[in-house]
Amino acid sequence: MVQFRKMVIGDYDQAYELWKKTPGMHLQSLDNTRAGIKRVIDRNPDLCFVAEDDEQIVATILGATDGRKGYFYHVAVAKKYRQQHIGGHLISQVLAGFKRQKVEKVGLFTVINNTDAQKFWQHLGFKERPDIKYFDLDL
């Protein structure tokens, strides 16, 4: 039976294995090392969650906020566990956390060719922003 709980850094190895199997993660684009993920969890301890079945991580979500806007990162559900509302439950937990923190808007990124993810987010009511182009800079 799938259980939901807050993510801790001890989940990193299993979570990273799941992320590697999830299309569109682009793990090399950010610091996704244990230390990098620990910083996200430490700064957002009430917004990062996992789902596990028989002590195996089957889904993850990292929520983060700047105090005004919230973001979803590393939303992943193992293929065998999709279509069971696990992702939706994790998203609901993070959204509730954002509301408690008075966050007014939520954003996320998908890679341009990950149409399955885009359909999923649109199904949940997220809208594509045609008015912006995203830029970043590696430090």
Side-chain angles (χ1 to χ4, degrees), residues 2-53:
V2 175
Q3 302 289 317
F4 300 91
R5 63 174 173 76
K6 290 181 182 176
M7 185 174 186
V8 295
I9 196 57
D11 297 322
Y12 176 81
D13 291 334
Q14 284 189 45
Y16 195 85
E17 286 303 312
L18 172 62
W19 299 337
K20 286 192 323 189
K21 296 174 188 169
T22 302
M25 275 294 178
H26 286 246
L27 293 173
Q28 67 280 10
S29 67
L30 280 171
D31 181 2
N32 287 299
T33 63
R34 179 180 291 271
I37 297 303
K38 184 177 185 315
R39 283 192 301 273
V40 175
I41 295 170
D42 287 350
R43 290 180 180 152
N44 304 277
D46 296 326
L47 299 173
C48 300
F49 296 92
V50 297
E52 61 183 355
D53 186 20

Side-chain angles (χ1 to χ4, degrees), residues 5 15 33 46 50-51 53 58 61 72 75 84 86 94-95 109 111-112 114 120 130-131 134-135 139:
R5 63 174 173 76
T33 63
D46 296 326
V50 297
D53 186 20
V58 299
I61 188 168
F72 292 135
V75 179
Q84 297 179 34
I86 293 169
V94 178
L95 289 174
F109 303 98
V111 293
I112 199 76
N114 192 346
F120 172 76
D131 60 325
Y134 177 74
F135 294 85
L139 299 178

Side-chain angles (χ1 to χ4, degrees), residues 4 9 11 16 21 41 52 54 62 69 72 91 99 110 121-123 128 132-133 135 137:
F4 300 91
I9 196 57
D11 297 322
Y16 195 85
K21 296 174 188 169
I41 295 170
E52 61 183 355
D54 197 26
L62 301 177
K69 190 170 186 177
F72 292 135
I91 290 163
K99 287 177 183 176
T110 66
W121 293 112
Q122 289 169 339
H123 174 75
E128 185 176 350
I132 62 172
K133 180 119 178 133
F135 294 85
L137 173 69

Side-chain angles (χ1 to χ4, degrees), residues 44 47 64-71 98 101-105:
N44 304 277
L47 299 173
T65 180
D66 62 12
R68 300 172 310 131
K69 190 170 186 177
Y71 295 92
F98 286 151
Q101 293 185 25
K102 307 286 192 248
V103 169
E104 298 175 4
K105 187 175 263 271

